[in-house]
Amino acid sequence: GTCAPQEDRARAQLAPALQGSAPLQILLAEDNTVNQMVMMRLLSKRGHKVTVVGNGLQAGNAVRERAFDLVLMDVQMPELDGLQATKQIREMESAERRSPVRIVALTAHALKSDRDQCLAAGMDDYLSKPIVPAELDVVLQQSSAAEPNSLDEPEARPRAM
């Protein structure tokens, strides 16, 4: 019943990230079931509440229906890819004067041009697959530091241009 030293270090690093931060409402848009399970485990282990959808069309509908603190958006999905879904979400937020939700790309493509393409589509950040837990923790901490997203308060969190 003992942990390896490496596991002890990982738990010690994770503990401060969880202290004092409320659970985030996270939308995970990911079409691969294995990736869904991995991300669900990483996020729920950190105390966050996760809603999973399998494509960009479902992601857009979910964001219209309820408020999320963070959207983790796979870039390559069926029906509507993550870039197109992000553009539609940003257009809807603008048209309805909603506070923009933080959207972070999840992709296996790790070139600077891929990152630039995600940012140009309106995404706020970028994580490359396979997900590095420490990098995910940084994104989660940044999202926790931001004011909560609310459908009722369109001016709650201004979007940087």
Side-chain angles (χ1 to χ4, degrees):
T2 62
C3 294
Q6 189 175 18
E7 289 178 32
D8 285 339
R9 279 193 300 268
R11 286 185 184 159
Q13 290 172 345
L14 179 59
L18 294 176
Q19 293 174 354
S21 64
L24 295 173
Q25 295 291 328
I26 299 174
L27 176 64
L28 172 63
E30 170 66 65
D31 63 318
N32 181 290
T33 54
V34 172
N35 290 343
Q36 287 176 355
M37 289 189 307
V38 169
M39 290 300 294
M40 284 285 298
R41 180 159 186 202
L42 287 169
L43 295 167
S44 61
K45 202 177 201 182
R46 287 156 173 77
H48 302 295
K49 299 186 183 339
V50 184
T51 301
V52 179
V53 296
N55 63 54
L57 186 60
Q58 293 171 343
N61 290 336
V63 170
R64 272 184 201 88
E65 292 172 10
R66 65 183 269 223
F68 292 95
D69 300 305
L70 174 64
V71 176
L72 297 173
M73 181 84 73
D74 185 20
V75 173
Q76 295 182 319
M77 292 183 288
E79 292 195 46
L80 192 65
D81 70 30
L83 300 174
Q84 295 168 319
T86 298
K87 287 178 184 175
Q88 286 187 1
I89 289 168
R90 295 303 187 216
E91 289 170 3
M92 179 269 304
E93 289 169 336
S94 178
E96 296 180 12
R97 299 182 49 99
R98 289 189 187 192
S99 179
V101 64
R102 185 168 160 76
I103 301 176
V104 176
L106 302 176
T107 181
H109 302 287
L111 299 176
K112 184 183 181 318
S113 60
D114 296 315
R115 183 179 195 283
D116 293 344
Q117 187 178 20
C118 292
L119 296 176
M123 294 178 172
D124 299 293
D125 209 342
Y126 173 98
L127 287 172
S128 61
K129 295 178 188 176
I131 299 299
V132 175
E135 292 174 2
L136 176 62
D137 288 340
V138 169
V139 166
L140 295 172
Q141 287 174 344
Q142 290 170 343
S143 298
S144 291
E147 290 181 35
N149 193 21
S150 170
L151 296 177
D152 299 326
E153 301 176 75
E155 268 70 64
R157 186 176 49 168
R159 181 170 176 215
M161 301 261 177

